[in-house]
Amino acid sequence: VQLQASGGGLVQAGGSLRLSCAAPGIITSVFNSNDWSWYRQAPGKQRELVAVIATSGITDYLDSVKGRFTISKDYARKTVRLQMNNLKPDDTAVYYCNAKRGQTTVWGQGTQVTVSS
């Protein structure tokens, strides 16, 4: 499985972006059986988990993004999205998508999100 992340960019504080993580060619059963996550890594900081959507559909978020970010699955397009609203300069980072099933973890390439004040 290869993951393709997109949707990053430069936005002013208070703005919105929607990140997408596509898995071209993935079969439906494999898409549905993964836990999908978004991580981010800011310069000089460790990578941190931002949002996760489990196979059950249950979601969880980093405290600092709760109420602003929403993770979701587009089953038809086999894409996982991260809607980011009311962005803050502290959200600036490279964002990575991640798919995990059992002992297997796959990472997508990062997409840069820059929020100006």
Side-chain angles (χ1 to χ4, degrees):
V1 175
Q2 287 189 327
L3 305 182
Q4 299 175 352
S6 62
L10 173 64
V11 64
Q12 288 188 329
S16 298
L17 286 173
R18 188 176 73 168
L19 304 184
S20 295
C21 178
I26 192 172
I27 61 175
T28 300
S29 61
V30 174
F31 179 78
N32 292 341
S33 63
N34 275 271
D35 293 332
W36 294 86
S37 304
W38 285 95
Y39 285 74
R40 69 186 182 188
Q41 188 167 18
K45 294 187 177 181
Q46 290 188 329
R47 190 172 296 189
E48 62 181 355
L49 177 62
V50 175
V52 57
I53 183 165
T55 54
S56 63
I58 293 174
T59 59
D60 199 10
Y61 298 91
L62 182 68
D63 282 347
S64 63
V65 309
K66 285 181 180 177
R68 300 189 296 121
F69 290 11
T70 303
I71 188 170
S72 62
K73 288 183 182 178
D74 182 336
Y75 289 94
R77 293 177 173 79
K78 299 187 181 66
T79 297
V80 177
R81 306 193 194 281
L82 184 68
Q83 179 67 41
M84 306 187 295
N85 298 328
N86 191 22
L87 282 160
K88 303 177 180 181
D90 284 349
D91 296 319
T92 295
V94 178
Y95 284 70
Y96 300 88
C97 60
N98 168 294
K100 183 176 180 181
R101 184 176 63 152
Q103 299 301 311
T104 301
T105 300
V106 179
W107 290 92
Q109 91 286 5
T111 185
Q112 176 72 47
V113 172
T114 303
V115 184
S116 63
S117 57

